[in-house]
Structure formats: C-alpha cells, structure tokens
Amino acid sequence: MTDEGSCDYCGLPLAGGVSHGSGEPRFCCLGCRFAASITASRGADGEARWMMTRLGVAIFFTMNVMVFTMLLWSQQEGPAADASAGSRVFYDLARHACLLFTGPVLVLLGGPLFEDTLSDLRRGRPGSSLLLLLGVVAAFGQSAWATWQGSGHVYFEVACMVLVAVTLGRWLEASGKLRTTAALRDLRKLLPDRVRLVGGCGETETALEEVRPGSVLRVLPGEHLPTDGRIVTGSAAIDERTVTGESVPIDRGPGDIVHSGTLDLDGELFVEVTAAPGTGTLERLIDAVARAASGGSRQQRLAERVAAWFLPLVLVVAAGSCAFHWRLHGMAAGVLAGLAVVVVSCPCALGLATPLALWAAIGSAARRRVLVRDGDAFARLGRARVWCFDKTGTLTTGCRVTALERSAAAHAAGLGDDDALLALAAALARGSTHVHAMAVAESAAARGLEPVAMLEVRSVAGRGIEGTVAADGATARLGSLGWIAGRGEGTPGRRTVPAGVPQSAVSIDDRVVGWLWFAETIRPEAAAAVATLVARGGRAVVLSGDRPERVAGVADELGIAWEAPLLPEEKLARIEQLHRTGEGVVMVGDGINDAPALAAADVGVALGCGADVSRWSADICLLRDDLSDLPWLADLAARTTRTIRWNLFWAFGYNAALVPLAAAGWIHPALAALAMLASSLLVVNSSLWLADGEPPPRGAIDATIQVATPTVSAATETLEAVR
Amino acid sequence: MIEWPLLVASGLLGSAHCLGMCGPFALVIGSANPAWRTNLTRQSAWAAGRLFTYAVLGAAAGFVGLRVVSLFPGGTNVPAILAIAAGALLVFLGLSAAGVIPRRGVGVGGCPGGGALRALLTARGTLEVFLAGVFTGLLPCGLLYGMLTLAAATHDVSRGLLTMAAFGLGTVPALLVAGLGGSILGLAARRHLHTFAAWCLVLTGCVSIARGAGYVHFGDAEPAGCPLCAPEITPVDGR
C-alpha cells in the first residue's frame, strides 16, 4: 500500500505510525524484515523455499540440541547422576554435541536478529530485539565456556529455541499478514505495469507511472484499461465489473469515458489519458479501502495505547527479575529469568490482534466486491439490529408489465391480439427512460415482438408519449389514464385490480385501444436476504418516498414493516430517531439519492455506488448490487468482531498470565519461546479464517481455546517440573 | 512397555491411516521427479526427515514422562496410567477410523506455513525434501499423539526416542510404495485395508490398556501383573 505509515512488506499499518529516514525500507516487525530481505535477494518465488530451508536446517539442529539436552537433564536427575567416569564421558560428549549443533543455528538465524537490533539502535529506540540478542549471546557464551572448562551448566537449548521460536513466530506472522492483505494486492494487479504509448514517432512501451494526462494509449482486446481516459478511436465491449459491479458488458465508443481496471473484451482502443498516475478509478477505490483498514478502529487504538507502555513494562519486569534471581541464585539464573520474561511476552499478539482481523475481513469483503470504507463499520454492523431499506432501486429493480387488455375499439384499429397492442406501445416507449416505458419495451422484447414503425415520437412531460404510426399516419399515444382519457372517449380498463396498481392506456387517434398494468420487480434475492437478516434477530423496515400503496405492496410481499411516504428529510429524521433508541441502524439505499440517510445511519450500505469513489457517502458499498451480500456481510462483521475480541482477550490474557510466571523464574526460556510461538500462531490463524472467506467450522475457535489453554498450562507445568 | 516389534507393527498397520494424510505428500515428492532412482532417494530422504522428528518427539515425550514420574515418586501408577491413556486414545482413533464412532470435524485454519511446506516438497534438492519430512513429522495426527503417549509411558528419554523411531519405521513401507508407484492397490482393496488397519489400532490400544491396567496398584496391593506378555514396566524405585 502506498500509505505513509505502512510496512513495506506486508502493507499493514506501522504501529504508532513509525516514520523515519526517507527511502529506507520500513517494516513492522522482524518477520517482515526477514522475509523482505529474502524476497529482495531471491524474488517472491524463492522466498518461501529459501526461508523454509534456512529455518528448517536451524530447526533440525535445534532438535538435535534438544535431544542431547534432555539426555543431559535426565542424567542429572537420574540415580546415575554421580561422578562416575562413564557418566563424565557421556556428559562431555553431549555438551560438545550441543555446542556443535548450536553453531549453525547462531549463524543462520542470529543475523536477521542482529540487523533488527542495529536498526532499532540507529533509530534510537532499542527494543526487545536487543534484549533477545543479549540473552542469546549470554546463554551461548556461558555454555561454550562451561563446555570448554568441562564443568558448569550449559544452556545451548535456550539460545537455539529462542532464535528458532522468535524467527519462526515473526515469519509466520509476516506471511499471515501478507495473506490478509492479498485481496487488495490482487485488485492492484489488474493494472498492467507497462503500457503502449502512442506518440508522434509511433508506439513505445513505457511504465504506467510515467504516463501523463493527455497521452494516448493503445489497449488491445483482453487487456485491462491501465488508467482512466476517453476513447479517441475504436470501440469495444467493456467489462466494468471490477469498478461498478455491472456484470453485463457495456459497449463503449469514441468520446466515451473508460475506467482503469475495467476489461476490454473485444476491440482495439486508443484512449486519451485523463487521470494522473495513481489516481485512476481503481487506484482510488483501493486506496479508499486501504485507508479504511489503516484508519484502525476503537479497539485497535486501545491495543496500541496498551502496547505503547507494554514494552517498557516488560523491560522493567525483565530487568527486575534478572536482578532478583541473580542475587538469589547466581548470574545464570538471573539471565535465564530475564530472558524468559522477554521471550514469553508477546507484544506482537497485542499489536496484531485487531489490524490483522480487520485487514483480513476487509480483504475478504473486497474479494466479493463489497468495499468497506470505514474499519469501525464492522464493529457497528456487528451490533446493528434495525435494517432500513430504501425501496426503489434497492429492493426493486424496476417495473414489469403484469397484464394488458384491449378495448372494443382495438379490433377496428387493426390490433388483432395483445401482442399487436404491446408492439404498438413498445414502438412509443422505445427511447424513453420512464420506468413504465422501459417495462413496456422490455416486455415486448421478452416476447420477441418487433415494434411498429413510428414517425416523430415525442414525450409529453409528466403525461406520456405520442407518435405517428408510419403505416397509416394515425396518432398513437401511451401514457397516464388521465391524459389519455381526458383527450377522448377513453374509459378505465374493466380488469379489477387493487387500488394503487399503476396503469397506463394506449390510444389511436384519441380512441383508447387498450390498457397496461404494471408491478414493481422485486430483486430476486431480496426476499431471502431480508428473511435471513430477520432470522438473525434483526428488524427490517422499508423507508420510502413512494406512494403508500406501492410501498405496502412491496413490503407485504417481503413480509416486513414499511413507512411511506417520507420526504428525504423525514427519512433522515426517522433514522436519527431509530438511532436514538440505542439499536444499531443500518440504512441500505441508493448511493447517490439516499446519501443523507446513509450518512446518518450507524452503518450506511449503498448499492449502485458507481465508479466514482469520491462520491460515495456510504461506509460500505455493494458493487455487485446483490442484496444477498447483506446477510453475508452481517455474518462477516459478527465473525470479525468475535475474532478481534478473542484475539485481544488472548493477547491480554496470555501476557498477563505468563509474564508474571516467567518473572518468578518458573518458566524455562526454551518453553517460553514455544509458548510465544503458539500465541502468535493462534492470533494469526484465527484472523486467516476471515481472510480466506470461509467461515470457521462451528465452534472451531472455541475448540482452539480449549486446545490452547491446556497447551500453555501443560507447558507451564512441564517447566516447573524441569526446574 | 510394549515391545518395539509390536510398535513397528503398529506403524505398519497404521500406515493405511497415514496414507490418508501423508500419502499426498509422498505423491507430490514423487511427481517432482519421475525418475525411479531419484524418486527413491527423495522418498528415503523424506522418510528420514519424518523419522528424525518422530524420534525427537519420542525423546521429548519420554522426558516429560520421566518428569511426571518423578513428580509422583514411589509407584508405577504414572506410566501405567499413561499406557492406559495411550491405549484409550488408540482405541478411540481406531474405532472412529473404522466408522464405529462418528467422526467430529475439527477445524484446522489456514496455516501460514502451508505454502512453504509445499515449496519444500517440490524443491529439487534432497536437503529440502529431508526438511519437508522434518516438518511433516510435526503435522497434527491422532495416531502420533497416541504413540507419543505410549512413548511418555516409557518415562525414559532414549526409550521414548526408540519407541517413536520404531513406530516411524513401520510407517515407511506403505508411504514409500505410495510415493514410488502411485497406487498399487485398487480403491476397494485400500478401503478394506483401511478398515483392517483401524481394527489393528484398536487391538494395539487394547494391549496397551491391558498392560497398563496390569500394573496399576492401589495402596499397598501388589500389581496384578500383565495379563498378556512379559512384564516390561519396571517399577520406579521410590526416589
């Protein structure tokens, strides 16, 4: 991401917005530094393999060290822990084996830790890296000396385990973070790196960043538009799904605007660039989502505040514990206790708990073309109980012709059947954008009718459309009943329909020849979506500016409450009133027309947002215009909130429980390292469930808690036993 | 203590279980290099890696057993109870593999290291494949946990190590065959073998429980003695 305060490797926000030396790469943690250094030298493909090889060899040696250490420990404890010659030889052999196997681990994993420490020191902010390094060096130095001398305790396993666990933990965190931000990177990958620039001296290939407004680019079929622009020559069907959610390709020709990230399906285009580099539609869209994620949430700010004093506190506790145990049991015990405190404390879990889950959820939503512009929206959505819907354009997509009827005069006018009436009406309706006219045109098209040839079709504002039939010069009209009836001998149709059902009439030379009835088309997925929301414990209500009977028709079909007619300001007032009751209010509406209501609700969810992200007023935008995204979103929000809460609970609880134990000298540093590793993994893993878009199996998180808790307590018990 | 040949047999018979989870890994290793001889080297390196991890885990389990025993000195109860626990776990695993006990889906989230393991499995070098084996040995596996509990029951680092090594050795042939030849047995035969292996697990578990039960003693009562085999569980002298 391009934000000021984000990690150069994983793209997550840097804690506390660390910003230093321009040009120098910035990383949020040791893991990212480690992974990035390998990526730089070997490329992204080689990274995982090289990383695993390096870590794997270190782990292999560490496992050897552990086996010999355990043999040593059991010898010390066993009945044969005397000074017999055989036992001494075994001791010496085991110690030397440990020394031999520890060397490669120091070489392989000590480097990145050393670099991280140096970088901290250069910034004047020495952190836990320095202490870890000191602890490792002290443990190794003391052990090597003891081995050389042939007496005294050895702590090779401490040096190995700390290095392996710290590196492995940080790297797993880094790759976990990378995966949570993958969805946004995938979107960015839609833009090509290099483009074909058309100039006076022919065509040149150049980098996308160097393209300036006014230049002309050549885009071939099958390519994504690299930037916003206006078509100069050529025409093509454009798939705009990425930025507008519109699934039907749209034909674009000279003079038309095209957006970056959309797909040219079938034609060669010459496009004049209108946006500066990095400011195209897709880039603005991604930046908006990235800003939402890095803006953080209330919980994140809380965690950051805690993390800010957490590290100094750990350092003080470590120093105190070191001094205490040194004085009581000697230097080795002091160093081990201090090191255990530093190793077992997991500020990363604290710092990662919220952003990781938030990024994962936002990325997961983006993959489904649900764009979240405010990180806090997830928390508010999780609490929301009242779902307000706009009607037109939100629950309904338009109109359809439900019935038609010919009058007695129809036959005389040459309209032998209903299709002839519809063909005549469609000829008039063609070209009008009125919902009823569009419904007539669609209905005729659906029946495969060829519209009657017309001359001079014109619309009469607020009344209807009139035109001259090409065949016989008669004047045909399609419009409101009042208008048609008022002109001649028209009467309403005989069909009995409930009051309020919209109706139009058709006349030829002022004689009514037929009537058409309309109904609003409810989105096919609306009923299921609303039912799911209600089943989840929500309450749904339609707030509409339309006539009550029409709103009632739609609301009754969906089985939800309705309020109409509401002026825009009344809608706003109603939402504010609902908001004051304390129940979270979600407003689902049209991105442009319902802007005030969307802004007033706890969470505004918009359909039909259009390509221009700067005009969006909602917190969340359903680019696909699909209402079934709503229950999914509510579910994701609930899971995100749960994950964040669980992550924070774990991070706080873990540190609160284990740091004191380590300070008391009850936790061996090697086991402290394992516990820290487990803690990081838990936090990363629970967030990855969100990133992968798959709901965790029922109770899986609880199961993890149940599994994790005994692991830690078992580790503690074993440590106690070891001591 | 169950004899090591029986452990090798458990590994051999449990292999059908291993084929389910680890079989695909063996196939991936084979697919990277189809030459028979190279593939054999790679499969052996992978098996060695797994064996190494099992041995280290066995040593750790033996050590934990030792610590637990010394926490409760003066009896054989601890290793006996561990043996019973291991047996119960194995019986449970066997029964659920045989379909007698309905399986519960336990969710495993996306492991961030998953991609890296894949990278190692398909790497050209033998070292990488060996390391892949080392990591494969750490994958969660019920059978492994059962055997580790058994290793803990030995309450000795080197015997725990050998226990797991023996078990690991038993798992090698089936995976080697799977990795080399793809699939030798038909689907129906494999299903029969799977059921057979499941019941063998149950049997191993029962033997472990019986051996453990034979050595549990209450108060001053003498242990009843092993109903099946030679007495291998040595009482810890009341240190």
Side-chain angles (χ1 to χ4, degrees), chain A residues 12 39 50 169 184 211-212 381 386-387 404 414 425 441 445 471 482 531 565 583 594 607 615 634 684 691 699:
Chain A
L12 276 176
T39 311
W50 169 241
L184 291 184
V211 173
R212 294 285 170 270
L381 196 62
V386 187
W387 294 78
L404 46 95
E583 292 181 305
D594 290 317
L607 289 83
R615 290 180 63 194
V684 172

Side-chain angles (χ1 to χ4, degrees), chain A residues 97-431:
Chain A
C98 285
L99 176 62
L100 191 70
F101 289 130
T102 307
V105 180
L106 282 186
V107 174
L108 285 167
L109 303 183
L113 186 64
F114 182 67
E115 275 171 35
D116 205 48
T117 310
L118 267 189
S119 156
D120 279 357
L121 286 175
R122 269 205 298 270
R123 277 165 42 200
R125 299 170 74 169
S128 54
S129 295
L130 175 65
L131 291 185
L132 288 173
L133 192 68
L134 285 178
V136 166
V137 168
F140 181 75
Q142 143 82 22
S143 309
W145 177 251
T147 308
W148 178 257
Q149 291 290 306
S151 68
H153 279 280
V154 290
Y155 304 102
F156 291 115
E157 82 285 357
V158 172
C160 289
M161 284 299 287
V162 167
L163 277 176
V164 165
V166 166
T167 313
L168 187 62
R170 303 294 193 274
W171 177 65
L172 285 176
E173 281 165 11
S175 55
K177 285 187 283 187
L178 197 65
R179 256 172 70 179
T180 60
T181 52
L184 291 184
R185 266 195 314 282
D186 287 349
L187 273 181
R188 211 177 277 274
K189 273 191 210 144
L190 290 179
L191 299 181
D193 293 333
R194 303 194 65 79
V195 293
R196 287 181 212 84
L197 189 65
V198 181
C201 46
E203 187 181 299
T204 48
E205 200 167 284
T206 179
L208 178 58
E209 305 88 72
E210 287 162 21
V211 173
R212 294 285 170 270
S215 355
V216 175
L217 303 178
R218 179 165 162 245
V219 180
L220 295 179
E223 291 181 344
H224 285 277
L225 272 297
T227 165
D228 287 5
R230 188 187 309 276
I231 299 179
V232 183
T233 19
S235 61
I238 306 278
D239 181 347
E240 299 191 339
R241 202 178 312 213
T242 322
V243 292
T244 63
E246 175 60 56
S247 58
V248 182
I250 296 162
D251 289 320
R252 300 277 187 217
D256 285 343
I257 302 284
V258 284
H259 305 293
S260 71
T262 57
L263 179 65
D264 175 357
L265 288 174
D266 57 4
E268 184 185 20
L269 295 177
F270 288 87
V271 178
E272 184 191 338
V273 177
T274 53
T279 62
T281 306
L282 185 67
E283 290 98 319
R284 275 181 288 142
L285 209 110
I286 297 169
D287 283 346
V289 177
R291 256 200 311 279
S294 41
S297 64
R298 203 171 48 82
Q299 282 150 318
Q300 182 168 346
R301 287 186 286 275
L302 170 72
E304 268 172 18
R305 271 209 305 278
V306 175
W309 59 255
F310 181 74
L311 189 63
L313 180 75
V314 165
L315 299 189
V316 169
V317 172
S321 169
C322 177
F324 177 77
H325 290 280
W326 192 325
R327 198 178 158 77
L328 237 59
H329 309 291
M331 184 194 84
V335 170
L336 285 189
L339 188 59
V341 171
V342 178
V343 171
V344 87
S345 69
C346 195
C348 294
L350 213 56
L352 277 178
T354 310
L356 210 52
L358 211 55
W359 269 91
I362 288 176
S364 185
R367 197 171 280 141
R368 207 180 151 121
R369 298 288 177 267
V370 174
L371 295 189
V372 180
R373 300 213 311 159
D374 180 1
D376 265 335
F378 271 118
R380 296 196 301 266
L381 196 62
R383 286 193 303 269
R385 283 288 162 271
V386 187
W387 294 78
C388 303
F389 291 90
D390 171 48
K391 181 180 69 81
T392 314
T394 302
L395 290 172
T396 65
T397 49
C399 264
R400 63 181 193 280
V401 177
T402 52
L404 46 95
E405 184 185 331
R406 280 170 297 131
S407 72
H411 202 74
L415 302 174
D417 57 9
D418 286 351
D419 281 355
L421 173 66
L422 195 57
L424 176 71
L428 291 162
R430 202 163 46 165

Side-chain angles (χ1 to χ4, degrees), chain B residues 202-228:
Chain B
V202 175
L203 182 68
T204 314
C206 288
V207 170
S208 175
I209 292 175
R211 284 169 165 272
Y215 282 92
V216 175
H217 66 133
F218 303 95
D220 293 331
E222 277 298 302
C226 169
L228 291 176

Side-chain angles (χ1 to χ4, degrees), chain B:
Chain B
M1 170 64 214
I2 294 177
E3 295 86 347
W4 294 321
L6 190 54
L7 286 165
V8 178
S10 306
L12 275 171
L13 295 170
S15 295
H17 168 94
C18 303
L19 283 180
M21 181 151 185
C22 295
F25 291 129
L27 287 177
V28 169
I29 292 170
S31 67
N33 199 321
W36 190 85
R37 198 177 287 273
T38 329
N39 193 7
L40 180 64
T41 318
R42 290 168 64 82
Q43 296 289 347
S44 310
W46 184 62
R50 263 188 326 116
L51 229 97
F52 170 76
T53 301
Y54 291 159
V56 173
L57 291 178
F63 180 71
V64 171
L66 175 67
R67 301 308 318 167
V68 177
V69 167
S70 64
L71 278 184
F72 306 98
T76 54
N77 277 2
V78 171
I81 289 168
L82 280 174
I84 293 172
L89 189 53
L90 289 174
V91 167
F92 173 78
L93 285 170
L95 288 181
S96 54
V100 177
I101 300 173
R103 255 182 251 205
R104 279 194 324 129
V106 176
V108 177
C111 171
L117 181 58
R118 202 162 41 245
L120 278 185
L121 284 168
T122 52
R124 285 183 178 280
T126 312
L127 171 66
E128 278 95 339
V129 182
F130 172 76
L131 292 177
V134 171
F135 288 123
T136 312
L138 292 172
L139 289 179
C141 165
L143 186 59
L144 195 63
Y145 298 151
M147 289 298 164
L148 279 177
T149 318
L150 218 53
T154 64
H155 60 86
D156 182 278
V157 173
S158 43
R159 275 200 290 163
L161 186 148
L162 286 172
T163 301
M164 288 304 290
F167 159 73
L169 212 56
T171 65
V172 171
L175 287 171
L176 207 59
V177 168
L180 286 177
S183 92
I184 283 174
L185 295 173
L187 188 66
R190 266 185 288 163
R191 195 174 298 140
H192 287 310
L193 185 66
H194 191 87
T195 316
F196 178 68
W199 286 108
C200 286
L201 268 187
V202 175
L203 182 68
T204 314
C206 288
V207 170
S208 175
I209 292 175
R211 284 169 165 272
Y215 282 92
V216 175
H217 66 133
F218 303 95
D220 293 331
E222 277 298 302
C226 169
L228 291 176
C229 336
E232 275 254 347
I233 297 182
T234 45
V236 173
D237 44 356
R239 233 169 34 78

